[in-house]
Amino acid sequence: MAASLLSHGVRRCSAHICAAAVRRGLSSTAPPSVSSRVLLKLSHYFYDVESIVGWNDWARTKLVRRKNKFFCYAQQKFGDNIGAAYYILTLRGSFRFAGQSEWFRPDSRGRFSFDFISTPDAQIEEVDLSGTLINHNGLDNLIKQNKLQTLSLRGCPEVDDWFLARLHVFGESLVELDVSHCSCVTVGGLAALQNLRKLQRLDISGLPRLQSPGLVRILLEEMLPDCQVTGAEYEQGLIQPDSQEQKEDDNEASTNSGVKHI
């Protein structure tokens, strides 16, 4: 973090220094050189890019906070189940009530039917929030769904270790969990899943922060003996490239030696 701030400061200072130098050149009576004009243009360009990036980060943070607010009014007026259902749909996720085969999901524009309000006593059994902006704050809208069995979080950019640690509230119901391609998940968050005692299937594929996915799979299977862990092979991260190449060289040498003997 400190390094990125320092780098950002250096870029800003460099841009201002270049701009100041170019302005001094332009203030003289001589016409500005080609290099001066290029430097001035670049300084303006990088300053604008940094401003756009900063505004984009601010807007995204505000959007994530708004998407994951607690729908207190909906839960007070219609009940916990309807409040949770409404939250899922506003995130452009989908769900299925227990005892029903129909899935409720928004259309391509995010619009959805409010037919789910007619079943306020039905609890949610399956939830698909793949690719949405759900984060640990948004879980407050779901924690009372004690019949939740399936939760898909595939490719959710805001799902992190703190989020996984909060899933312990579904320890007596959750059977299937998909956290594949969640870029913020580390081995620390996966270790927190030990409280999901009824978990039977867990997908950990495509987690870029796992240095040794094979070892993590072994540890998860030790921690959750009744759970089938998918998305990582046992040898992933355990066989180093150098040792693998050495093994191939040894095999080749052994083969050549056998040929010479013949």
Side-chain angles (χ1 to χ4, degrees):
M1 181 66 179
S4 73
L5 288 175
L6 179 60
S7 175
H8 177 76
V10 169
R11 290 199 306 269
R12 293 292 294 271
C13 289
S14 299
H16 286 303
I17 291 171
C18 289
V22 173
R23 290 192 192 97
R24 285 197 298 270
L26 292 178
S27 62
S28 62
T29 55
S33 64
V34 175
S35 60
S36 296
R37 291 198 298 269
V38 170
L39 284 173
L40 182 60
K41 190 170 184 178
L42 286 175
S43 68
H44 288 163
Y45 171 76
F46 284 113
Y47 183 81
D48 292 341
V49 168
E50 289 175 0
S51 299
I52 292 172
V53 170
W55 181 88
N56 184 63
D57 292 342
W58 172 82
R60 179 180 173 80
T61 301
K62 187 174 182 180
L63 175 63
V64 171
R65 188 182 297 116
R66 179 171 59 83
K67 286 284 187 180
N68 289 282
K69 66 181 180 181
F70 180 58
F71 287 94
C72 181
Y73 174 77
Q75 293 199 9
Q76 289 179 351
K77 186 173 180 62
F78 300 104
D80 297 328
N81 302 330
I82 301 303
Y86 182 69
Y87 167 70
I88 293 168
L89 292 174
T90 57
L91 280 178
R92 297 198 173 192
S94 57
F95 68 91
R96 181 182 65 80
F97 283 125
Q100 300 183 16
S101 59
E102 179 186 4
W103 277 79
F104 293 89
R105 53 174 54 91
D107 61 18
S108 58
R109 295 186 178 182
R111 298 175 299 187
F112 52 85
S113 168
F114 284 87
D115 293 343
F116 62 91
I117 294 180
S118 61
T119 55
D121 297 326
Q123 287 194 302
I124 297 173
E125 189 172 79
E126 292 188 67
V127 174
D128 185 358
L129 289 166
S130 300
T132 66
L133 292 176
I134 185 172
N135 67 4
H136 64 274
N137 291 321
L139 275 177
D140 290 336
N141 293 287
L142 304 177
I143 56 176
K144 294 186 178 179
Q145 299 305 305
N146 52 31
K147 288 188 178 180
L148 182 64
Q149 294 186 4
T150 302
L151 178 60
S152 178
L153 302 166
R154 180 182 178 86
C156 291
E158 300 296 324
V159 168
D160 53 13
D161 293 347
W162 177 237
F163 183 101
L164 297 187
R166 293 200 66 192
L167 292 180
H168 68 87
V169 295
F170 306 117
E172 297 299 325
S173 65
L174 199 61
V175 174
E176 184 172 353
L177 177 63
D178 184 353
V179 293
S180 61
H181 302 281
C182 292
S183 57
C184 294
V185 170
T186 72
V187 64
L190 295 175
L193 300 179
Q194 62 181 324
N195 298 307
L196 303 179
R197 292 179 288 273
K198 294 192 175 181
L199 199 64
Q200 296 179 9
R201 287 179 296 277
L202 173 63
D203 190 345
I204 60 169
S205 59
L207 299 181
R209 297 199 179 189
L210 295 188
Q211 295 183 350
S212 301
L215 180 58
V216 172
R217 178 180 175 179
I218 294 173
L219 295 175
L220 286 171
E221 290 177 342
E222 288 288 334
M223 187 174 66
L224 300 167
D226 298 324
C227 181
Q228 178 186 2
V229 181
T230 61
E233 300 299 329
Y234 290 118
E235 64 272 13
Q236 275 186 269
L238 298 180
I239 301 178
Q240 298 298 324
D242 292 341
S243 62
Q244 181 67 18
E245 291 175 5
Q246 182 64 38
K247 184 178 179 181
E248 291 175 356
D249 291 342
D250 292 343
N251 290 338
E252 185 179 352
S254 176
T255 303
N256 292 337
S257 176
V259 171
K260 287 178 181 179
H261 260 310
I262 295 173

